[in-house]
Amino acid sequence: MDKVLVVGDGAREHAIAWSLEKSGVAVGAVISHLNPGLVDIIKRTGGRVFLGSPVDPHFVVKAAEEFSPDLVIIGPEEPLFAGVSDALREKGFRTLGASKRLAIIEMRKDVARALQWKYGIPGRLIYGVFKNIEEAYSFSKALGAVAIKPIRQAGGKGVRVIYGDAKYLEFDEAYRKSAEDIMKQLSNFRDVDAAVLVEEAVWGIEFTIQALTDGETLFFFPPVQDNPHAYEYGVGPECGGMGTISPLPFLEEGEVEEAKKAVEFTVKALREEFGERYVGVISGQMMLTTRGPVIIEYYSRLGDPEALNALYLYEGDAYSLFSLAADGKLHKAERRFKEEYTVVKALAPLGYPHKRDIAKGRRVYIDWDVIKREGCLVFFSSVEERDGAYVTLGSRALEILAPGKTAEEAYLKSERCMSAVRGDGVYYRRDIGSPEYMSYMATKAGKVRAVYKWRRERGLDGKIAIWEPGVGLREYKL
């Protein structure tokens, strides 16, 4: 029996292990806490738990030497940033995960934007990087509506969008607080300087394109829509993601193909820039806008929760697919997906995402009979099992995937399964995947589609001019 070592301990890694168990392999895992779902799969498949830090290259290599896996799969981004994949490859382990040099496409938003403009990757946005808040403020006013981000990946958090082009006093206050918060957030990281990235804010339909690649071939999963805001109807702070849907009937095939091309161009640009083949997962978080699809940011791994939809919908053998990517033979992969809809909803403790201290220690209970009857799947994240309950550790507790032959069937199943989960101070988003949600997304997509198609028909989407203080009129060729 082949063995696979999974690095990481969230719902995404639980889903990866779930897909590998169906392939009939023994699953081991390097985890920082005892994820109940991962532990169960490891026991059932005859694998092994390695309790320690997934971001410590020395510890992960030691675990691999003891387990002797046929393949190592790295789930989260931080181990990639820490060079875990490089350390494993140096020791001769067959590894699926981008190198530290190439994972910079996610780790550093400023590097990703610079790469897009240098190589003419489609879907790029106007941006600037600033260490000085006053200079960033001047640039922000020139753009009008802006997104202010930490230059480093921070777990999907820290992004602020300010629409204040006509309300300068409100803009000033909102901007300064956002920039100061980001500078403070970046002080927790030792691998980047404190700086903010300011880019034009765009409006439209967000979606994620996820792809396995061996550096030559890209294997795309169906597009997924994540919902990064904590509360219903897309309000509240951005977090790691409160739920997903896939496939996306409100996107046109041509729009999805444009997004795929942007990701393909990025893989080629990375190879040209760094002289390395990208082996692992690369994902584009996209937005369908009045300019067509644009890239909001990249992932150097599967998203969470987006991975759950992708791996459930894939109808082939997951271990074979991952192995082909690691071996440079991805062109041989079978491209078969279920003709179903999926809705994923995350359960989070009160206090998440900003007050982790009060989000810890909350007890969660699951009525497994309901879950089984509805045909849903539970993937655990930041919980441990104690005395018959699942106890939260400060982040999202679990994610439930509901499949259906129609989008509405999947939504109704997701609601029935979420009602089977109870706990002391926990919440989830009821709106994700609802008929009202789907109708709203279709209407919104139709509005931006009408504009970008009108612009393209008249040749009006090639350039943008901005008046920058101290610079004058500056033209950007998109």
Side-chain angles (χ1 to χ4, degrees):
M1 177 186 288
D2 283 3
K3 296 189 289 186
V4 180
L5 183 67
V6 177
V7 178
D9 47 32
R12 166 185 45 230
E13 290 72 46
H14 184 180
I16 291 171
W18 169 82
S19 69
L20 291 168
E21 182 181 18
K22 293 197 301 174
S23 296
V25 301
V27 179
V30 177
I31 53 180
S32 61
H33 73 274
L34 295 175
N35 179 310
L38 275 168
V39 170
D40 284 348
I41 289 172
I42 289 165
K43 288 178 180 177
R44 287 197 300 268
T45 63
R48 184 174 168 186
V49 171
F50 296 90
L51 194 60
S53 174
V55 300
D56 180 349
H58 177 75
F59 181 80
V60 177
V61 167
K62 186 172 181 294
E65 288 172 341
E66 292 183 21
F67 190 57
S68 297
D70 298 280
L71 177 66
V72 182
I73 299 175
I74 300 173
E77 67 273 19
E78 288 295 338
L80 300 175
F81 302 164
V84 170
S85 60
D86 304 81
L88 287 163
R89 289 190 177 104
E90 285 174 9
K91 293 293 184 177
F93 290 102
R94 190 166 167 240
T95 302
L96 187 63
S99 69
K100 181 177 180 177
R101 291 182 73 195
L102 298 183
I104 200 168
I105 194 68
E106 174 175 12
M107 179 181 171
R108 292 285 299 269
K109 295 180 177 69
D110 55 336
V111 174
R113 285 289 180 226
L115 192 81
Q116 285 180 286
W117 282 91
K118 180 177 179 180
Y119 290 93
I121 296 170
R124 52 195 182 274
L125 296 173
I126 299 168
Y127 80 104
V129 179
F130 305 92
K131 293 183 180 180
N132 182 284
I133 290 180
E134 294 304 320
E135 292 177 3
Y137 178 61
S138 296
F139 183 73
S140 298
K141 286 204 297 183
L143 286 179
V146 297
I148 303 173
K149 304 178 178 182
I151 60 169
R152 189 195 192 279
Q153 168 61 258
K157 306 165 191 69
V159 178
R160 314 286 197 278
V161 179
I162 304 172
Y163 297 100
D165 50 330
K167 300 179 180 179
Y168 295 110
L169 291 177
E170 290 181 19
F171 183 94
D172 182 273
E173 181 180 353
Y175 166 76
R176 291 181 189 280
K177 186 178 187 310
S178 298
E180 289 168 3
D181 287 348
I182 287 170
M183 290 293 198
K184 184 178 179 181
Q185 183 182 23
L186 285 173
S187 67
N188 297 320
F189 297 97
R190 297 180 179 179
D191 50 11
V192 295
D193 294 330
V196 295
L197 182 141
V198 179
E199 64 187 25
E200 54 179 321
V202 287
W203 181 88
I205 295 290
E206 289 192 49
F207 62 101
T208 307
I209 294 291
Q210 303 176 107
L212 274 171
T213 181
D214 56 11
E216 295 288 345
T217 302
L218 280 85
F219 180 95
F220 287 100
F221 293 98
V224 183
Q225 184 175 66
D226 183 28
N227 289 268
H229 292 277
Y231 310 132
E232 293 186 7
Y233 306 109
V235 300
E238 289 206 3
C239 60
M242 290 299 293
T244 45
I245 60 170
S246 183
L248 308 180
F250 41 79
L251 291 181
E252 292 185 351
E253 185 177 348
E255 294 159 353
V256 175
E257 290 305 311
E258 275 192 52
K260 288 179 178 179
K261 285 181 181 177
V263 176
E264 288 174 352
F265 285 9
T266 303
V267 171
K268 292 177 182 176
L270 283 165
R271 184 163 188 175
E272 188 168 342
E273 181 74 8
F274 296 103
E276 269 185 54
R277 281 194 309 117
Y278 192 114
V279 179
V281 177
I282 185 166
S283 305
Q285 186 187 350
M286 314 295 298
M287 185 177 284
L288 181 66
T289 73
T290 54
R291 296 216 302 262
V294 302
I295 299 170
I296 302 301
E297 61 184 28
Y298 294 98
Y299 301 151
S300 53
R301 34 76 192 186
L302 290 169
D304 187 355
E306 296 101 315
L308 280 58
N309 308 77
L311 294 172
Y312 175 84
L313 289 170
Y314 181 59
E315 222 172 13
D317 182 280
Y319 177 56
S320 295
L321 179 64
F322 295 143
S323 297
L324 289 171
D327 293 341
K329 300 177 181 179
L330 198 51
H331 61 281
K332 296 183 178 181
E334 53 181 340
R335 301 174 186 271
R336 293 192 294 115
F337 295 96
K338 298 172 185 173
E339 293 185 2
E340 294 183 51
Y341 287 86
T342 54
V343 174
V344 174
K345 294 193 176 182
L347 185 84
L350 292 176
Y352 176 78
H354 291 322
K355 296 184 178 179
R356 300 298 181 95
D357 54 335
I358 66 172
K360 293 179 181 179
R362 298 184 181 275
R363 301 175 75 81
V364 176
Y365 302 88
I366 300 174
D367 186 337
W368 289 102
D369 290 337
V370 174
I371 301 295
K372 184 177 181 180
R373 184 177 69 238
E374 296 294 336
C376 293
L377 297 170
V378 177
F379 296 97
F380 289 101
S381 188
S382 183
V383 293
E384 286 188 344
E385 193 169 4
R386 301 174 195 165
D387 301 322
Y390 302 103
V391 180
T392 63
L393 303 177
S395 189
R396 291 168 296 174
L398 56 86
E399 296 161 15
I400 292 181
L401 181 145
K405 295 299 181 185
T406 65
E408 185 170 5
E409 181 186 352
Y411 169 73
L412 292 173
K413 280 187 178 183
S414 75
E415 283 296 292
R416 289 193 289 267
C417 286
M418 291 305 289
S419 71
V421 181
R422 58 187 176 87
D424 173 27
V426 292
Y427 70 96
Y428 74 97
R429 283 184 53 176
R430 292 172 174 81
D431 61 315
I432 297 171
S434 68
E436 295 79 11
Y437 171 104
M438 300 297 284
S439 176
Y440 172 73
M441 292 299 168
T443 300
K444 192 176 181 181
K447 288 179 179 178
V448 296
R449 183 176 296 123
V451 175
Y452 86 72
K453 287 189 174 183
W454 183 89
R455 288 168 59 104
R456 290 180 179 184
E457 287 170 1
R458 289 157 179 79
L460 301 174
D461 63 339
K463 296 178 181 178
I464 290 181
I466 292 176
W467 180 271
E468 296 183 26
V471 177
L473 191 65
R474 185 173 178 181
E475 190 176 84
Y476 293 86
K477 187 176 181 182
L478 300 174

